[in-house]
Amino acid sequence: MKRNLYRLVALFLIVGFVLIGCSNKTSNDGSESKDAVAQETVKKEGKDITIAVAANFVSLDPHDTNDTLSGSAEKTMMEGLVGFDKDMNVVPVLAKDYSVNDDATEFVFELQEGVKFHDGAPFNAEAVKVNLDRLTDPDSTLIRSSLFELIKETEVVDEYTVKVTLSEPFGAMINTFAHPAGMLISPKALEEYGDDVSQHPVGTGPYVFKEWQPGDHLTMTKNEDYWRATGNEADSITFKPTPENGTRVAMLQTGEADFIYPVPTEQAEEIDGKDGIVVENEASIVVRYLAMNNLKKPFDDKRVRQAVNYAINKEAFTQVVMNGFASPMDSIIAPNTQFYSKQTPYEFDLEKAKELLTEAGYENGFKATIWGANSSTTMKAMEFIQQQLAQINVELEVVPMETGTLSDSIWSVEDPKDAEIEMYYGGWSPSTGDADWGIRPLVGGENAYPPKSYNTAYYNNKEVNKLIADGLATGDPAAREKAYADAQEKIWEDAPWAFLVVDDTIFGKKNYLEGIYLLPDGSLSLENMKIVE
Amino acid sequence: MAKYVIKRLIGIIPILFLVSIFIFLFVHLIPGDAARLVAGQDATLQDVELVRKELGLDQPIYKQYFSFITGVFQGDLGTSIKTGRPVFDEIAMRFMPTFWLTFWSMIWAVIVGLVIGVISATKRNKWQDYLGMFVAVSGISMPSFWLGLLLIQLFAVQLGWLPTGGLESWKSYILPSITLGSGVAAVVARFSRSSMMDILKDDYIRTGRAKGLNEHKVVWGHGLKNAMIPVVTMTGLQFGFLLGGSVVIETVFSWPGLGRLLIDSVAFRDYPVIQSEMLLFALEFILINLIVDLIYGFLNPQIRYD
């Protein structure tokens, strides 16, 4: 009996040592080579690139897509009249040039000549018209139709000139054309496949669709007749949906993937600079905020909302919740959003927060609930806020909810007075990259209250509403800039939210890949990708 | 026998019909608005209403059920809300990967589990028994995602022998089936151990030994067959569960199977896919039960089918 016991103990010890051995190895490596640049370039076999992504693709029809990930895949195959550069500035793509009239109602595009879609259909003014007409068809059920609903008419001026007329001024329209939803599909494919074009994407882009096995992979091959000269060297691109963070990282380590995104922030430092891996991060345009219901006590008092802002240490939030991969917000929109204007931060100041609470008549604090999704990062964020606000005697109850339940709780409310929401931890990415889409849906007064839009703070300020309208009424960038700058200042002062952080985009790649990156909106750009020896 | 099987098969239809009503109500009772989830984060109310109409979600619930069930009888499971493709295609594409993964996991798990169980039973309270039960307890208590990630780290990242995930060749099956099967192997080991221990006390075993049969034949030849009955029941159940797609394992190994499809569909409130998948799982359970009953008859000829 005793002997058996010894054997058992010995077995435990052996297993234990094996496990410790495995984990030690990784931590030792971590301290050895930190410098990613100093690594030797790993050799790449062949020119087929694999990219592991976190979710499945939903659709490959840009007019019917609302997730950034599907948009990324579409962007490798399709292009729009205009697009975004690395800093989210609007740049010409299939349009050589464009002009806008003063009140932002007429847009004239001069098109590139001699461009062909992958199926041989010519790219011309007629093709543009077919696409825009598809989006603006009153019977259309395409998800992105609403972005283009202001278009009254699209005219073919001549073979390579298109004129788009809006029903009312809309200064942010050029950004809408640059949005992935504005990408153009071959008219021939549209006719052939109808709405099934979502499984047979045909564009003018650098890659041609090959096959899509949902849940497994999506592959495209190089467009040998691409109209633009690029340094792109990959023969094919394969996307692999890999939801588990650890597996995605492992794929990059083993070389099964050449590029992965996002990289989980917890593992970013551990893998950077090893096995030929480089991890890169850049500021995105995604903001993380804590909305407070401005119609409800105690949040109907500006001083309370400001106190909450002073009581949360955003630097600590960045470190604790985002593992350092974020930066504190200093306006309601992120710096890479067009017409951003920097505000004076609410520095972490508990004394000031307590003072403001006392002034507002809450010297003993108050109780509130905070809602948010049930993902681990969101829960961590909410618990952090709970802990921070406890310092000024504000007692928070954290209520994590599954996505569907959460959206039901927030967006099924018909009358703002019935809204139960008190505090809500949310995130927002203005996909057009324009200030309008970063402000209007979120704090744009009664017209944006749920369920119509996303004003979860039930914030309604007449001055701000007017400034938002002014910003849309003109195509003149200087006038728009002024309107949005004033709006941002006013909103910052009113503090409908506790302004938290701007996320980083974060990706990992093997060091033989160059020219591939994520845009601030989280979409992928690989048209200038190079494989270096 | 054939009559029995046919009777059972016909009996499936009303059961499935009832199950379909429960599933339908259950699926539509989950909070969450499919239309809003489909329309996406920055959709306007107008977009959401458009989607709702397009998907027929504005219809009364009994009408929605009626069109679902008539579709099922015509072999049409509807279209996925999320992808706009036929649900039948979505499920068919994911069925075989899950089926083969489950199949191979069960094969090794049952064999290994039985061997461990029988050895433990015959070497009761000896080191073989302790070792076997230690392995079994580890197999049950180890969270499968952790085991999966550990195996990936060891065999894919450190040693580079096997792929981290996906489904490309026979090698892709090894790590996920080890992960998936470990729990089953453990349960089989425990069940067969206790079942075997009971059997070894029975009179006919004593008689066999008294007649001078060698121990090997007593245990593996006579004992095992009878000890198998509870093991088969349990294995059948496990098989049913695993066929439903092991969500965790399919996620860890990026396996293009039914479990991941279900998770994606639930997150999206993709009603047609959830309903059809759950109906399929119910059917699988019923069929496996039938097979288990038939195996009983083979193991113990005293069981008669009427």
Side-chain angles (χ1 to χ4, degrees):
Chain A
M1 189 64 214
K2 218 173 177 181
R3 226 178 77 199
N4 291 332
L5 195 70
Y6 285 138
R7 282 174 206 259
L8 200 66
V9 171
L11 190 76
F12 266 115
L13 287 177
I14 292 167
V15 174
F17 279 128
V18 169
L19 293 180
I20 292 166
C22 285
S23 57
N24 251 356
K25 187 157 191 281
T26 19
S27 55
N28 279 346
D29 284 359
S31 52
E32 271 167 24
S33 64
K34 192 71 216 72
D35 192 1
V37 188
Q39 300 189 87
E40 254 180 56
T41 306
V42 189
K43 179 126 181 60
K44 166 76 182 165
E45 300 286 333
K47 294 194 164 176
D48 301 303
I49 298 297
T50 302
I51 297 173
V53 294
N56 288 326
F57 298 101
V58 179
S59 167
L60 295 176
D61 177 352
H63 304 165
D64 206 19
T65 293
N66 57 33
D67 60 312
T68 314
L69 184 64
S70 299
S72 287
E74 289 158 7
K75 271 172 63 182
T76 63
M77 301 177 276
M78 288 176 254
E79 294 168 308
L81 293 168
V82 285
F84 294 118
D85 70 3
K86 203 171 177 173
D87 303 312
M88 294 295 283
N89 297 310
V90 176
V91 289
V93 183
L94 285 174
K96 262 192 303 207
D97 200 4
Y98 62 89
S99 59
V100 190
N101 69 346
D102 282 347
D103 59 356
T105 51
E106 280 179 19
F107 296 76
V108 178
F109 296 95
E110 301 287 334
L111 309 183
Q112 294 285 353
E113 293 171 27
V115 177
K116 278 195 174 5
F117 287 98
H118 300 155
D119 58 3
F123 168 74
N124 52 27
E126 191 53 42
V128 178
K129 184 172 162 58
V130 167
N131 275 271
L132 292 180
D133 285 355
R134 177 184 192 231
L135 276 162
T136 53
D137 182 349
D139 297 329
S140 152
T141 53
L142 299 167
I143 289 168
R144 288 304 188 182
S145 285
S146 60
L147 281 176
F148 297 87
E149 67 188 354
L150 290 180
I151 295 181
K152 192 169 73 183
E153 198 187 7
T154 306
E155 290 165 77
V156 175
V157 179
D158 60 48
E159 194 174 2
Y160 293 108
T161 314
V162 172
K163 183 172 152 195
V164 180
T165 313
L166 306 188
S167 55
E168 57 182 83
F170 192 73
M173 197 65 201
I174 199 69
N175 282 64
T176 306
F177 282 116
H179 186 280
M183 289 192 289
L184 305 172
I185 308 170
S186 156
K188 199 168 134 192
L190 280 175
E191 199 180 316
E192 194 178 336
Y193 299 113
D195 280 345
D196 282 345
V197 83
S198 64
Q199 275 124 62
H200 306 275
V202 182
T204 56
Y207 286 89
V208 182
F209 174 73
K210 189 175 164 213
E211 62 173 352
W212 181 26
Q213 285 265 345
D216 195 46
H217 70 272
L218 165 68
T219 304
M220 38 220 129
T221 51
K222 189 176 181 176
N223 177 5
E224 300 293 350
D225 303 319
Y226 188 48
W227 62 279
R228 269 199 283 194
T230 67
N232 196 329
E233 287 170 342
D235 291 338
S236 77
I237 308 276
T238 300
F239 285 97
K240 291 209 169 215
T242 311
E244 170 55 43
N245 283 337
T247 314
R248 215 159 48 244
V249 168
M251 285 178 78
L252 187 62
Q253 289 174 313
T254 60
E256 280 169 71
D258 308 283
F259 186 94
I260 64 167
Y261 80 98
V263 171
T265 53
E266 302 82 24
Q267 276 162 288
E269 279 190 30
E270 192 188 313
I271 59 170
D272 190 19
K274 272 180 285 169
D275 309 320
I277 294 172
V278 182
V279 177
E280 285 180 21
N281 59 304
E282 291 286 345
S284 76
I285 52 171
V286 179
V287 296
R288 303 273 160 204
Y289 60 89
L290 176 65
M292 294 173 267
N293 187 340
N294 285 225
L295 297 178
K296 272 204 159 169
K297 276 191 183 317
F299 304 114
D300 56 348
D301 191 319
K302 183 163 94 179
R303 291 167 296 190
V304 172
R305 302 194 301 261
Q306 288 177 333
V308 170
N309 267 292
Y310 282 116
I312 299 173
N313 186 340
K314 280 88 171 183
E315 294 293 342
F317 186 95
T318 306
Q319 293 309 323
V320 174
V321 181
M322 316 299 286
N323 290 299
F325 292 98
S327 37
M329 282 172 82
D330 47 18
S331 175
I332 185 167
I333 49 178
N336 276 320
T337 316
Q338 211 169 358
F339 305 122
Y340 151 86
S341 139
K342 186 176 159 63
Q343 310 297 318
T344 322
Y346 289 95
E347 298 292 350
F348 177 58
D349 188 342
L350 287 178
E351 285 315 308
K352 190 143 189 187
K354 281 181 194 158
E355 255 170 52
L356 282 163
L357 274 192
T358 311
E359 263 178 52
Y362 294 97
E363 60 274 12
N364 297 322
F366 55 87
K367 283 184 186 176
T369 51
I370 173 169
W371 293 1
N374 58 358
S375 74
S376 54
T377 315
T378 302
M379 306 239 293
K380 201 155 118 190
M382 293 195 289
E383 280 158 13
F384 180 83
I385 294 166
Q386 179 188 42
Q387 180 269 328
Q388 292 278 292
L389 295 190
Q391 300 175 91
I392 53 167
N393 294 324
V394 173
E395 196 183 313
L396 286 192
E397 186 198 341
V398 173
V399 187
M401 290 186 241
E402 184 269 343
T403 333
T405 318
L406 181 64
S407 86
D408 233 20
S409 310
I410 297 177
W411 283 281
S412 63
V413 176
E414 293 296 332
D415 187 341
K417 285 198 287 294
D418 301 336
E420 282 174 34
I421 191 167
E422 292 185 336
M423 293 177 124
Y424 163 62
Y425 176 75
W428 185 262
S429 172
S431 49
T432 60
D434 186 90
D436 172 63
W437 204 242
I439 297 176
R440 189 163 49 100
L442 297 161
V443 289
E446 286 180 7
N447 287 331
Y449 284 176
K452 276 182 258 167
S453 198
Y454 296 84
N455 188 353
T456 44
Y458 290 93
Y459 172 72
N460 189 13
N461 180 319
K462 288 201 178 69
E463 281 174 69
V464 172
N465 298 347
K466 185 178 177 302
L467 288 167
I468 291 174
D470 289 349
L472 279 186
T474 172
D476 172 20
R480 299 194 69 211
E481 184 159 14
K482 174 85 177 68
Y484 291 122
D486 292 350
Q488 285 172 70
E489 194 185 334
K490 198 81 206 96
I491 297 165
W492 189 258
E493 157 78 16
D494 277 347
W497 299 347
F499 303 100
L500 301 172
V501 293
V502 177
D503 280 9
D504 278 0
T505 56
I506 167 163
F507 60 83
K509 59 170 191 171
K510 288 287 195 183
N511 57 9
Y512 47 72
L513 279 190
E514 272 177 14
I516 175 170
Y517 59 88
L518 291 177
L519 264 65
D521 67 355
S523 67
L524 184 67
S525 170
L526 42 68
E527 56 194 78
N528 292 310
M529 180 168 62
K530 277 196 172 58
I531 302 168
V532 290
E533 297 283 319
Chain B
M1 177 80 171
K3 215 170 113 191
Y4 170 80
V5 174
I6 291 168
K7 220 165 93 185
R8 286 279 301 262
L9 285 175
I10 293 172
I12 290 176
I13 296 169
I15 298 175
L16 277 186
F17 188 69
L18 274 178
V19 167
S20 77
I21 294 177
F22 279 116
I23 290 173
F24 192 87
L25 288 176
F26 174 71
V27 165
H28 284 261
L29 279 177
I30 332 174
D33 179 358
R36 183 164 285 277
L37 290 166
V38 171
Q41 192 215 26
D42 49 6
T44 61
L45 183 61
Q46 189 189 345
D47 295 333
V48 176
E49 291 309 322
L50 207 71
V51 171
R52 195 186 314 283
K53 210 166 153 202
E54 162 95 355
L55 299 176
L57 295 172
D58 54 341
Q59 301 281 322
I61 195 147
Y62 69 91
K63 274 194 183 164
Q64 291 184 45
Y65 174 75
F66 191 71
S67 69
F68 166 64
I69 201 73
T70 45
V72 170
F73 278 112
Q74 290 159 3
D76 173 16
L77 299 175
T79 359
S80 159
I81 288 180
K82 187 178 160 197
T83 62
R85 291 140 62 103
V87 174
F88 189 86
D89 293 357
E90 292 274 358
I91 291 182
M93 215 185 302
R94 315 285 188 103
F95 182 76
M96 290 326 278
T98 296
F99 178 79
W100 285 118
L101 178 59
T102 307
F103 182 78
W104 291 118
S105 307
M106 290 302 287
I107 294 280
W108 85 256
V110 168
I111 294 173
V112 170
L114 270 181
V115 170
I116 292 180
V118 173
I119 291 176
S120 290
T122 49
K123 307 276 179 187
R124 201 174 160 193
N125 290 337
K126 298 212 172 90
W127 70 267
Q128 293 96 328
D129 184 22
Y130 289 123
L131 177 63
M133 286 307 108
F134 171 75
V135 172
V137 171
S138 315
I140 294 174
S141 43
M142 215 184 293
S144 48
F145 77 89
W146 184 75
L147 176 63
L149 287 174
L150 198 74
L151 291 175
I152 289 177
Q153 198 60 35
L154 186 62
F155 291 101
V157 178
Q158 307 283 344
L159 299 170
W161 292 347
L162 296 165
T164 53
L167 174 50
E168 271 167 18
S169 65
W170 61 271
K171 281 184 177 173
S172 309
Y173 281 94
I174 299 177
L175 295 183
S177 67
I178 292 178
T179 316
L180 191 58
S182 67
V184 181
V187 178
V188 170
R190 297 209 52 115
F191 261 74
S192 48
R193 175 178 181 266
S194 60
S195 173
M196 196 71 190
M197 265 162 27
D198 286 345
I199 299 283
L200 289 178
K201 287 186 214 131
D202 278 356
D203 290 345
Y204 72 94
I205 295 287
R206 215 176 314 148
T207 314
R209 282 182 179 145
K211 273 191 344 194
L213 275 179
N214 74 25
E215 187 63 17
H216 193 76
K217 190 136 193 216
V218 170
V219 174
W220 295 96
H222 294 237
L224 185 62
K225 199 169 158 190
N226 285 303
M228 281 292 280
I229 290 180
V231 177
V232 164
T233 314
M234 198 279 314
T235 310
L237 269 178
Q238 295 277 338
F239 195 62
F241 279 121
L242 296 192
L243 260 189
S246 169
V247 171
V248 172
I249 283 147
E250 291 189 358
T251 307
V252 169
F253 290 99
S254 320
W255 198 259
L258 292 172
R260 252 176 87 198
L261 179 63
L262 186 63
I263 277 293
D264 284 354
S265 311
V266 171
F268 234 83
R269 300 294 185 268
D270 196 340
Y271 299 136
V273 178
I274 309 176
Q275 282 154 205
S276 307
E277 236 189 296
M278 285 171 74
L279 208 56
L280 173 70
F281 296 161
L283 180 66
E284 286 170 2
F285 260 99
I286 295 170
L287 290 178
I288 286 168
N289 254 312
L290 176 60
I291 294 168
V292 166
D293 286 351
L294 296 176
I295 295 176
Y296 281 164
F298 165 77
L299 290 173
N300 185 353
Q302 283 176 351
I303 297 172
R304 288 273 165 267
Y305 299 111
D306 294 310

